[in-house]
Amino acid sequence: MNDQGQHRVSQVYLRQFGFQDVNKKWVVSTWKIGDEFTSYQSIKKFTKEFNIFDLPSRNITVKRTFEDFSGTLETHYPQIVKEIKLNGSLTKRSLAILAQFMINLLCRAIPFRELIDKLLRSDKRDFFLNEITYYHQDKGRQLIKSLNRIKIDYQLNIVIFSVWYYFVNTLTSSNFDYVLLEDFQDRGWATSDNPLIIKSNVNDVTLFSKETEIYFPISKDYCIYIDHRDYNRSNSLRGPDNKELVTADEALHDQIMNLIWRNAYKYVIFPVDLGIQRLSK
């Protein structure tokens, strides 16, 4: 069958929030939305499903293109976190790698994939395809031609590459600024099974606009905020110099943590070992 276990949330990413249990196995402390108690999840098994990113091809190498690419991308991530810790900033190359990694996680997440599948099946399909192929040299003619030969149920995993390419190119353009945020008094940043937060953006009209704001917990110690430099927004994060590491105050930390919790699909992932405890409603 050539089945392959594929993770919606990268194991390399989860380790930034995880720890080793008494058996030396890597786990994360989580809360499943609706549950009364927190729980542990094995990083090796958490969000693992089979063949979910496979392309519709009989060639096993082609079929596993997305998963193989994701695996290669993940190898660079620990160095990104180390660079922030040592330098308090990111080089242009490191920022590009981080953008690629963030959007890769977005393209694995169930809510975002459901949105893309919905757009493919909607009367906004042509507008959507035109948007995501903006950076294609042929403006998407080859992609559209390929899609016309494939059943709609198999189109998502093909289109997701163009979605990824579009987001990465837009995000790394000179139009977007970023601020690196250190957590408040070692409280840590949480994350979730839907870790990339896109605010005032994703809707049924366009995927990216000047109103876009992005929050991403890089690790339990660091979070990144990205927005469009030309948008007139009243936001305390616009004050610090671009690309500078800033320590979040309590109010900002609470605000972003609230966004992280609300963006979760099924699971919130904590930056500390909470054990098994009841969460107050």
Side-chain angles (χ1 to χ4, degrees), residues 189-207:
W189 298 109
T191 188
S192 77
D193 55 353
N194 188 28
L196 188 71
I197 301 161
I198 304 179
K199 188 180 177 185
S200 304
N201 162 315
V202 173
N203 52 53
D204 60 357
V205 178
T206 183
L207 292 174

Side-chain angles (χ1 to χ4, degrees), residues 197-238:
I197 301 161
I198 304 179
K199 188 180 177 185
S200 304
N201 162 315
V202 173
N203 52 53
D204 60 357
V205 178
T206 183
L207 292 174
F208 240 107
S209 67
K210 285 187 178 181
E211 291 80 9
T212 298
E213 291 180 276
I214 289 178
Y215 298 83
F216 178 68
I218 296 172
S219 70
K220 63 183 180 181
D221 299 315
Y222 307 109
C223 181
I224 190 169
Y225 169 76
I226 304 172
D227 77 344
H228 199 287
R229 63 173 54 184
D230 294 334
Y231 187 66
N232 184 21
R233 190 195 321 278
S234 176
N235 190 317
S236 61
L237 288 172
R238 308 205 96 199

Side-chain angles (χ1 to χ4, degrees), residues 127-142:
F127 182 90
F128 163 69
L129 291 175
N130 285 335
E131 182 181 7
I132 66 169
T133 56
Y134 176 81
Y135 297 103
H136 289 211
Q137 288 186 345
D138 70 347
K139 299 301 178 184
R141 286 189 292 272
Q142 184 57 48

Side-chain angles (χ1 to χ4, degrees), residues 26 152 181 200:
W26 279 90
I152 187 65
L181 296 163
S200 304

